[in-house]
Amino acid sequence: MKKTVAQLWEEIFTDYNILNEIKENGYFKITADQIRVYKEPRLMAKFDFSKQLPKVFKENDLGILPIRNGEYVIGKFNLFENIKNTKYEEINIKKVELPSFIETIDPDNIYSESNALNVASLSGMFKDAFNEELYETIQGKMRTNTFDFIISSNEVENSIEVNGAAIEIDGGYESKSKVVLVEAKNSMPEDFVIRQLYYPYRHWKDKVTKEIVPVFFAYDNGVYNMFIYSFEDLYNYNSLKLNKIKRYMISSKSAETVKKEIFQNIELVNELPQDEVPLPQADSFSKVI
């Protein structure tokens, strides 16, 4: 039977005595070549959300960060930003429209992050959120400059140096006064790894004089959610501050529309004993949809 990522990380931790190394030195550096012996590094070391972390990481409050091409560091890092607690669903949704001549985008069939970003740009969501015209100027994979920063844990602060680590920017937009860097997802997670905002922020902060605005963008059931952040301390990974949430809608099949359709078409049946019928459960209505 093929071993899971979690099982392979258990082997790596045992083979390299990682927990003891972290206890003695505060961190453990591991190369892509060392990981590749077990499985492809890009599949082993990419955890966009905390729920993806392998068991050995969760049990020991550990995280992993890329620090240069082919090298990672493992330590007691607070890597993730919580979205679930922002109460974003209480924010009013603003309706916007695509230009009438657009035929190649179906707002009821958004199939990718880039597709959702195209809708956001064409419909004026970014212009509305930032009160000025923005133009897409950055997209794709690149490598960071050299920079250092502090990242906190429940116990201590760790100093990390990054040099040429791989990053990918889903959308970069420039106006007369700012550069907006967007990390996009095609569903709404409970949290996300701050690295996806911080590394591009630090990379471009050294290249331009304009304000850099990090944005986490999530398309979810017809709603375009925009979480607009800033870093209060350039050198502190955990200084991410949520400044504003904007929510937009184009699709007629929005969450509200689906709710109405469900209520209008529901058929009542006699209740059966609980032990005869399993009860479907979800911790958010978007999952039900």
Side-chain angles (χ1 to χ4, degrees), residues 2 25 38 64 66 72 77-78 91 114 122 132 146-147 156 174 190 235 242 252 266 269 276 289:
K2 183 182 286 188
N25 304 314
Y38 302 83
I64 183 170
Y72 303 85
F77 308 141
N78 292 330
I91 304 295
S114 60
L122 289 167
E132 55 183 321
T146 300
F147 58 85
V156 296
E174 186 171 352
E190 294 185 359
Y235 301 101
L242 178 61
S252 59
I266 195 169
V269 297
E276 291 187 24
I289 297 173

Side-chain angles (χ1 to χ4, degrees), residues 217-235:
F217 174 96
Y219 171 77
D220 191 55
N221 291 316
V223 180
Y224 300 77
N225 303 275
M226 205 177 297
F227 299 82
I228 302 171
Y229 290 95
S230 63
F231 284 98
E232 296 185 295
D233 182 348
L234 175 65
Y235 301 101

